[in-house]
Amino acid sequence: MTTSCKVSICVPTYNRPELLVECLDSCLAQTHANIEILIGDDSSDTRTQQLIAARYAHDARIRYVKNGPSLGQARNVASLFARATGDKIALIHDDDYFTSDGIETLLALWHRHPQLEVAFADQYEVDAHGNFDATTSAAVNAAFHRNTAAQGLQRQPGRTGLVQMFPNNGWMANADLVKRISYRDDVGTCCDYVFGAELCLAASQVYYLHRYVSYYRKTDVSVSGRTRGSACSASLTAFEFVSRLTLDASLEPARRLALRRLAPNVVSLYAKNDAPLAALRVAFVHLYAYAYGLDARLYYHLSLIARACIPMKWRGLPPSATRFP
């Protein structure tokens, strides 16, 4: 089954042709040959279009579309899922890339578990130049609950998505499930997390493999970095999404774990954007996120809240400085 199974590798891209080459070359070098590579180009110029024409035009596995006008992150990814013709779908962003056996490794899990719907594994963390540190990579994966003890079919598939164990790319899933869930255009830069959570909540079988199958590149121009301090922060959207979810009682501990990670970020965000009452409310409703006062971040955040209570004119700030209504 694994050799005959067609895998659609979806690659959204935006103004990064120099990094896209490494991504596409890693896809074309996969040990599993039955693939198609779908590219959705949201770029504001024609550099990527020219690159594809010059370097990949004669490779039938490449299926390129230049979006006009640009679709935005969520709709671009959703359009790639809709175009996919494979039995399985894998996602890799333009600045990331697969190990040479990444697709084969993930696909082999279906041979062992025919009812499997979603599979993922570890990601190397690399810098802008592709250099990786094994110790840092291991620590990052461990921080997202990816470790030896967690390997296997997940007892609670939904928990896997809620606690951010599921990665933003480098995963594989049944195409029909991916198309049904798809990416939402109403959650901004949080669309990766929301998709992962909803995908795992909808799946009956999710497998985590404690093995590296992809490389995640950290750059200075990441979307999360550009919006981290603003009202459109992915942390705030994720916090609101998790808080409002209707969940089975068995998943309430997972919700609590997810909010424990997110709540302090939201408190800081509200305080820095002159919404002290909202910050105080989140901090005390989710006091467990601060180990009930044993975490030093609580007192730092309380100092930010206190400062936000001082009228802006006394801090030398114009009224328009606030980013929250």
Side-chain angles (χ1 to χ4, degrees), residues 6 8 10-11 36-41 62-67 76-86 89 179:
K6 182 178 181 181
S8 298
C10 297
V11 185
E36 63 175 0
I37 302 166
L38 307 165
I39 306 167
D41 182 10
I62 297 283
R63 296 177 56 202
Y64 169 85
V65 168
K66 175 74 168 75
N67 299 325
N76 189 14
V77 175
S79 72
L80 291 170
F81 291 165
R83 289 168 48 205
T85 63
I89 288 177
K179 290 171 183 279

Side-chain angles (χ1 to χ4, degrees), residues 74-97:
R75 287 195 296 146
N76 189 14
V77 175
S79 72
L80 291 170
F81 291 165
R83 289 168 48 205
T85 63
D87 306 292
K88 312 294 180 193
I89 288 177
L91 176 70
I92 194 78
H93 292 113
D94 59 357
D95 55 341
D96 304 325
Y97 49 104

Side-chain angles (χ1 to χ4, degrees), residues 127-139:
D127 63 20
H129 305 290
N131 303 311
F132 73 90
D133 183 304
T135 301
T136 300
S137 297

Side-chain angles (χ1 to χ4, degrees), residues 49-118:
Q49 190 173 24
Q50 293 170 359
L51 167 72
I52 299 298
R55 189 177 178 111
Y56 302 105
H58 302 295
D59 196 315
R61 294 171 293 178
I62 297 283
R63 296 177 56 202
Y64 169 85
V65 168
K66 175 74 168 75
N67 299 325
S70 296
L71 299 176
Q73 182 185 2
R75 287 195 296 146
N76 189 14
V77 175
S79 72
L80 291 170
F81 291 165
R83 289 168 48 205
T85 63
D87 306 292
K88 312 294 180 193
I89 288 177
L91 176 70
I92 194 78
H93 292 113
D94 59 357
D95 55 341
D96 304 325
Y97 49 104
F98 279 111
T99 62
S100 61
D101 63 348
I103 295 296
E104 180 180 13
T105 297
L106 291 174
L107 190 56
L109 296 172
W110 269 266
H111 181 72
R112 292 156 50 187
H113 305 281
Q115 302 306 310
L116 186 62
E117 293 182 279
V118 179

